[in-house]
Amino acid sequence: MTFQQLGVSEPLLKAIEELGFESPMPVQEKVIPHLLDPESGDVVALAQTGTGKTAAFGLPLIERVDTSRHIPQALVLAPTRELCLQISSDLADFSKYVNGLRVLPVYGGSSIESQIRALKEGIQIIVATPGRLIDLIKRGVVKLDDIHTVVLDEADEMLNMGFLDSIDEILSHIPADRKMLLFSATMPNDISRIAKKYMKEPVEIVVGKKNEGAQNVKHIYYMVNARDKYLALKRIADDSPNIYAIIFCRTRRDTQEIADRLIQDGYNADALHGDLSQQQRDIVMKKFRDRVITLLVATDVAARGLDVDDLTHVINYGLPEDTAVYTHRSGRTGRAGKTGVSVAIIHSREKGKLREIEKKIGKTFERKEVPTPDHIIEKQLYNLADRLEKVKVDEAEISKYLPGVARKLGWLSNEDLLKRVLSLEFNRLLDYYRDAPQIDFIDEKPRKEKKERNFERPSEAEKDRRTAEKGMARMYINAGKHDGFYAGNLIDMLNQLVSGKRVDVGRIDLMPGYSLFDIPEKEARRVAEGLTGADFMGKRIYVEKADPDKDYSKASTRRSGRKADIPADKFAGSDFSGDDSETTYEYFLKRSRKNSSAKPKRKSKK
């Protein structure tokens, strides 16, 4: 099968041949003919990142545009600025020989005036992040009346970032007879609901299996004591001399700390997280693409849209809560037909989560021992020997320096010379590993489960999830994914309802019935006061400092058992099931009376 046989026109064929496209990838073979057929309907395509999905929707999108009309005709929505720019760049490359076609990336963090100016000059394809596009719609500078095709790329990521309401707002401005394409790496229930709500009898195209990890990725894990995770990370990096990897951490603080330690220990590393300015992020990503740095330590949000095809490893410095997040992480390696390795560094309490991920992605993780110092040094030495063997020698230039160097080193035997060459390269490793501690490979120890009548205590993993870092408070909020509550909703509520300066938010864990989030310890009371009593889509919100010993998963089913002057709905989703909560109850009682007499009901922005 060739691109020409799929119906791709000559100008596009010429451009993609220059880009190195030879034969269509599976997702392109399935999607392109369907989109080029004017009688075909909507499409839900499930494919991993790196499988060629941008060309799958981009090529037919360009084919369907009328370049004689200088108005928006196609819209691509992406969750992040980086992905928006990447898609725009790819579409521009594909349309190199299509005269008169203009593609405009629309995203926050860039001059809105320049984007307005480009819109007025006339464009045919808009690639946008939801927030900035809504801003332009409200200003009346972008008209979507002639949009005939809408693409939602990485739809599962957009949902995780809380963009459902924004998508709804944008689609309300687009004709109902549009053609719609939804691309996602995973198929959670929310994606099915989007397809049902916005699409007309969509055709489902699956490359591989639903929620399956990338085919070319090998999944392995190392189990170590929590205190040895960083040592294990360094040994994994040292055991792979040509490593080019993203190391995923759960919080911005962990990300910066791990990157700083790697840099201090002599590795070409840097951090990528939300505390960096856009200019700083662009610089870091350029250095990583150019391989000035080979280890990028990143949070999931910051790494979205970073498009690199030849990663050798993805390293999970601990497992994410959501299996879909792991699928996205691991899908960043093993792309474009290449092989890759997804590594998880875990401790024993994460074994259950590992098995859950295995079941969801249909892959088995290989258990490996942390590389020993002897093995690492041997691996590095052989790699150097391989480089020496393959190095290109410029005979003409080097020959004029050889006599002088030979006189200087002539007294050394071949063996002595070889030893010195190797030592010059390896003294750091040899010194570091000379007295290196043994990193134990631990087994999960069987535990006796203690259960009390009518009450099951949270697992150790659950307690660990509710523990904040030093200086931070772990907060509980009685809204979760089943309520349509995502990270974007939480940020909106904090910005709108908590008085005073902006609250910095760290790690966020979204559960089905509740959520947990980190804020500075000193902000805990202010945040609890600001959010408690608010309304989210008809649900009364309650926030408290998370207690590792409370079973929040069953909180919504419990009765408060408290005094009659407090309406029962005041405690919806809260855990007041023990005598130890008396202090919280008295505080909430005072707040309830104060709110009912002095303050109107507040509503969060949906």
Side-chain angles (χ1 to χ4, degrees):
M1 181 70 71
T2 65
F3 282 101
Q4 188 173 22
Q5 290 172 318
L6 294 179
V8 178
S9 63
E10 191 59 38
L12 293 179
L13 287 173
K14 184 178 179 181
I16 63 177
E17 284 173 4
E18 290 182 3
L19 293 170
F21 285 54
E22 295 178 358
S23 57
M25 298 177 75
V27 69
Q28 295 159 0
E29 287 186 358
K30 294 181 178 182
V31 173
I32 290 176
H34 187 88
L35 299 186
L36 288 178
D37 181 359
E39 302 300 321
S40 65
D42 295 342
V43 174
V44 174
L46 302 178
Q48 298 296 317
T49 54
T51 55
K53 58 189 176 74
T54 304
F57 69 75
L59 295 175
L61 206 66
I62 295 168
E63 296 277 13
R64 289 166 53 85
V65 165
D66 182 355
T67 56
S68 66
R69 304 178 68 207
H70 302 291
I71 56 174
Q73 300 167 46
L75 171 66
V76 182
L77 290 176
T80 64
R81 172 188 188 272
E82 290 75 22
L83 184 57
C84 176
L85 286 169
Q86 184 63 47
I87 294 171
S88 300
S89 175
D90 289 343
L91 294 182
D93 290 340
F94 299 157
S95 60
K96 179 179 179 180
Y97 297 107
V98 179
N99 294 328
L101 188 134
R102 295 189 64 194
V103 180
L104 176 65
V106 168
Y107 54 88
S110 181
S111 169
I112 195 168
E113 287 77 16
S114 64
Q115 292 171 3
I116 292 172
R117 192 161 50 247
L119 284 165
K120 290 180 177 179
E121 291 173 357
I123 54 95
Q124 289 92 11
I125 300 176
I126 297 174
V127 185
T129 55
R132 175 53 63 89
L133 182 59
I134 289 176
D135 192 357
L136 292 169
I137 291 172
K138 289 180 177 178
R139 290 174 183 236
V141 295
V142 61
K143 302 293 184 183
L144 304 179
D145 301 337
D146 292 281
I147 294 289
H148 56 63
T149 308
V150 178
V151 179
L152 301 184
D153 194 19
E154 295 201 3
D156 47 356
E157 288 297 315
M158 279 197 272
L159 288 181
N160 287 336
M161 296 174 71
F163 284 136
L164 185 58
D165 291 341
S166 299
I167 294 170
D168 196 28
E169 169 71 16
I170 291 167
L171 292 180
S172 70
H173 295 274
I174 297 173
D177 61 349
R178 68 196 174 238
K179 178 175 284 191
M180 189 165 172
L181 297 73
L182 187 153
F183 283 82
S184 181
T186 59
M187 190 66 172
N189 292 332
D190 288 335
I191 294 294
S192 299
R193 284 195 284 270
I194 282 187
K196 186 175 181 180
K197 182 176 181 180
Y198 298 116
M199 306 175 82
K200 301 172 185 176
E201 299 180 354
V203 173
E204 188 175 290
I205 296 174
V206 181
V207 178
K209 297 179 181 178
K210 286 187 180 181
N211 302 320
E212 182 182 47
Q215 291 294 321
N216 298 330
V217 178
K218 180 180 181 181
H219 301 265
I220 64 176
Y221 74 97
Y222 299 90
M223 191 184 294
V224 299
N225 290 305
R227 65 177 179 272
D228 291 329
K229 276 194 171 186
Y230 178 70
L231 294 177
L233 172 65
K234 290 204 301 180
R235 291 197 184 182
I236 292 165
D238 288 341
D239 197 51
S240 305
N242 299 311
I243 191 170
Y244 182 45
I246 299 179
I247 301 164
F248 283 102
C249 295
R250 295 180 62 174
T251 67
R252 286 174 279 187
R253 177 175 297 186
D254 284 347
T255 300
Q256 191 62 58
E257 180 183 333
I258 297 302
D260 289 343
R261 292 177 70 180
L262 287 170
I263 294 167
Q264 185 177 356
D265 288 338
Y267 296 86
N268 294 324
D270 212 335
L272 187 68
H273 53 72
D275 286 343
L276 302 179
S277 68
Q278 192 58 58
Q279 183 180 17
Q280 289 173 315
R281 290 173 65 182
D282 289 343
I283 291 172
V284 171
M285 287 191 289
K286 185 178 187 307
K287 288 196 296 182
F288 187 60
R289 288 192 182 101
D290 294 343
R291 296 209 180 203
V292 175
I293 58 176
T294 55
L295 296 176
L296 180 67
V297 191
T299 58
D300 291 291
V301 173
R304 287 171 186 151
L306 179 61
D307 192 39
V308 181
D309 284 339
D310 48 357
L311 289 179
T312 61
H313 294 71
V314 165
I315 300 176
N316 298 270
Y317 197 76
L319 295 171
E321 290 297 331
D322 193 339
T323 302
V325 173
Y326 178 84
T327 303
H328 276 281
R329 287 181 179 182
S330 61
R332 293 184 175 277
T333 187
R335 302 175 67 169
K338 299 174 183 176
T339 59
V341 180
S342 180
V343 177
I345 306 173
I346 67 172
H347 53 74
S348 60
R349 289 182 298 187
E350 294 177 291
K351 188 70 175 291
K353 171 59 68 175
L354 185 81
R355 297 304 175 218
E356 181 183 328
I357 291 174
E358 284 183 327
K359 185 177 179 181
K360 289 284 182 64
I361 68 173
K363 306 284 185 181
T364 300
F365 284 71
E366 181 185 349
R367 185 175 180 173
K368 291 193 125 184
E369 293 189 26
V370 177
T372 63
D374 286 344
H375 187 272
I376 290 169
I377 292 170
E378 182 180 19
K379 195 93 170 276
Q380 291 276 1
L381 284 170
Y382 278 115
N383 180 68
L384 176 59
D386 188 56
R387 286 159 51 203
L388 288 171
E389 186 179 30
K390 295 178 181 178
V391 69
K392 182 180 178 181
V393 177
D394 188 333
E395 297 285 356
E397 285 297 316
I398 203 72
S399 59
K400 57 186 177 184
Y401 302 107
L402 286 178
V405 174
R407 285 194 299 272
K408 177 72 175 174
L409 301 177
W411 62 278
L412 293 171
S413 67
N414 289 341
E415 185 179 354
D416 286 336
L417 188 59
L418 183 59
K419 287 178 182 177
R420 288 168 189 258
V421 169
L422 296 178
S423 296
L424 188 66
E425 181 82 9
F426 282 98
N427 275 344
R428 182 188 70 84
L429 273 178
L430 292 168
D431 289 343
Y432 175 77
Y433 282 116
R434 181 173 291 112
D435 300 313
Q438 179 69 31
I439 299 179
D440 293 329
F441 181 71
I442 60 173
D443 287 313
E444 186 176 19
K445 297 178 180 178
R447 297 177 182 173
K448 293 182 180 179
E449 296 294 334
K450 294 183 179 180
K451 293 185 179 180
E452 298 180 9
R453 185 173 298 176
N454 299 324
F455 180 74
E456 184 176 346
R457 294 189 179 277
S459 66
E460 291 301 317
E462 182 75 11
K463 288 184 179 182
D464 184 56
R465 186 164 60 221
R466 297 180 197 158
T467 304
E469 300 174 7
K470 187 177 180 181
M472 302 289 279
R474 192 76 168 145
M475 306 298 289
Y476 159 85
I477 183 169
N478 65 325
K481 291 182 179 180
H482 287 173
D483 303 301
F485 185 81
Y486 293 94
N489 303 116
L490 174 63
I491 300 302
D492 283 345
M493 292 178 71
L494 289 169
N495 290 339
Q496 294 178 26
L497 301 178
V498 179
S499 59
K501 66 178 183 178
R502 178 182 173 185
V503 179
D504 291 328
V505 183
R507 166 181 160 196
I508 300 174
D509 288 327
L510 298 168
M511 310 300 158
Y514 66 97
S515 300
L516 302 165
F517 60 99
D518 284 355
I519 57 172
E521 180 76 43
K522 61 184 180 181
E523 306 286 1
R525 186 176 181 85
R526 183 163 69 98
V527 167
E529 289 179 351
L531 298 187
T532 296
D535 180 270
F536 178 75
M537 299 178 69
K539 181 167 188 172
R540 189 175 294 277
I541 292 299
Y542 175 72
V543 175
E544 69 173 25
K545 203 169 176 182
D547 183 344
D549 291 319
K550 285 187 181 179
D551 188 7
Y552 288 118
S553 64
K554 299 180 181 179
S556 61
T557 64
R558 297 183 190 157
R559 295 182 178 180
S560 64
R562 291 296 179 181
K563 301 176 183 178
D565 61 346
I566 304 297
D569 66 345
K570 289 286 185 182
F571 300 104
S574 304
D575 185 356
F576 290 98
S577 58
D579 292 337
D580 59 340
S581 62
E582 186 63 31
T583 302
T584 309
Y585 164 74
E586 294 296 344
Y587 163 72
F588 194 76
L589 173 64
K590 290 187 287 184
R591 176 172 174 76
S592 176
R593 289 170 176 163
K594 181 179 178 182
N595 283 349
S596 62
S597 61
K599 293 185 180 180
K601 181 181 179 182
R602 294 165 295 167
K603 292 185 178 181
S604 65
K605 183 179 178 181
K606 293 184 182 179

